[in-house]
Amino acid sequence: MIRHHLFVVAHPQAEHTAADLVGGWYDSRLTDRGLADAHRVAAELGRRLDARPDPRRPVRVTTSDLARAAETADVVGAALGVAVARDRRLREISFGTAEGRPNAWLAARRVHAPDDDRLDHRGPVPGAETRREVADRVHACVAGLMTDTDHDHVVVTHGFAHTFVVTAWLHVPVEAAGFAAFATSPGAITHLTHDDGWGNRTLVELGATSHLAAAH
C-alpha cells in the first residue's frame, strides 16, 4: 500500500530558454507554449491523482518562487483546487553574473567540476552556487514535506534542482550526490512513492512527457 506520493514537475518552456539565455535565478516567465503546457501538466496530474486508491486524499502544491515555476504551480493549484506555497529553496541553481546572458557567454567561461570536487567546485563566474549549496537547500525543503504524511505532494521546480528533489526523497545523502543526475525536460512529471509495507521509497517514473507529446 502506498503511504504517499510525490509528483515533481519541471516547469515548461520559459522566455529565457526560448531566447537561448542563461536561466538560474534570472526571473523569466513562461512563454505562450509554456503556459499551454502548464495546463497539460495540470490535467495529467489530475488524472494521476484521481487514479490513486483514495482519490480524496488531500494534496499540497509547493513551488520555487521564481516566476516560471510559480506560474506553472498556480495553474496546477487552480486545477486541483488547492493553495500553492512558494519556497525559494526550490529555486534553480544560481549562475551568478552569467544569468540573463547568452548561453554561449557562459559556455566560453565554464570550468567543469573535477571528479574529486563535484560538490564544492564553484567555477570562475562570480556569484554562482555550488552543487552542495543547491542540494542542501532543496533537501531541507523536501525533508519538511516528507514529514507531512497526511498529504500527497506536488513540487514544481527546475531542471537542475529536480535531481535533488529526487535524491532527498530517496534519502540519498548530499555527500553521495556529487555525481547524481536525474534528467528531466520542460513540463515533464516525475513520480515518487513511499510504501507502507516495506517502507521503500521508489522512483516510479522519471520525466514523463506523454501528456505533452500530442501537442508537440
Side-chain angles (χ1 to χ4, degrees):
M1 184 69 174
I2 301 302
R3 183 180 303 177
H4 57 161
H5 298 260
L6 170 64
F7 296 97
V8 193
V9 176
H11 70 79
Q13 186 189 67
E15 293 167 337
H16 74 274
T17 308
D20 198 24
L21 302 179
V22 178
W25 291 12
Y26 180 64
D27 205 14
S28 70
R29 303 176 67 89
L30 294 176
T31 62
D32 289 344
R33 169 178 166 174
L35 184 59
D37 282 348
H39 285 277
R40 296 182 181 100
V41 168
E44 176 65 14
L45 288 170
R47 286 191 289 270
R48 290 175 180 241
L49 291 167
D50 285 346
R52 294 173 297 170
D54 182 3
R56 297 170 300 176
R57 180 173 163 81
V59 177
R60 285 177 60 185
V61 178
T62 309
T63 181
S64 159
D65 65 334
L66 293 173
R68 56 197 186 268
E71 287 178 332
T72 305
D74 286 344
V75 171
V76 170
L80 301 181
V82 300
V84 174
R86 287 159 169 72
D87 194 320
R88 63 182 290 119
R89 293 175 296 178
L90 292 171
R91 285 186 173 195
E92 183 59 295
I93 186 172
S94 172
F95 289 103
T97 57
E99 291 170 350
R101 295 177 181 266
N103 279 309
W105 185 94
L106 177 58
R109 291 160 176 81
R110 181 180 288 124
V111 176
H112 293 291
D115 285 355
D116 61 352
D117 191 24
R118 297 279 298 181
L119 287 170
D120 297 310
H121 173 79
R122 194 174 298 277
V125 179
E129 284 187 294
T130 66
R131 175 180 282 255
R132 185 191 301 275
E133 288 168 343
V134 181
D136 280 344
R137 59 176 168 80
V138 174
H139 272 228
C141 176
V142 176
L145 298 179
M146 287 162 61
T147 65
D148 178 10
T149 57
D150 293 329
H151 292 78
D152 288 332
H153 295 272
V154 174
V155 165
V156 183
T157 187
H158 309 261
F160 186 81
H162 169 274
T163 282
F164 303 110
V165 177
V166 177
T167 56
W169 184 266
L170 298 178
H171 282 303
V172 176
V174 171
E175 288 293 340
F179 289 90
F182 291 94
T184 190
S185 57
I189 298 172
T190 290
H191 183 190
L192 300 136
T193 60
H194 182 200
D195 72 72
D196 270 333
W198 298 98
N200 291 329
R201 293 183 174 274
T202 302
L203 175 56
V204 178
E205 190 171 16
L206 175 65
T209 57
S210 59
H211 53 288
L212 306 176
H216 300 163

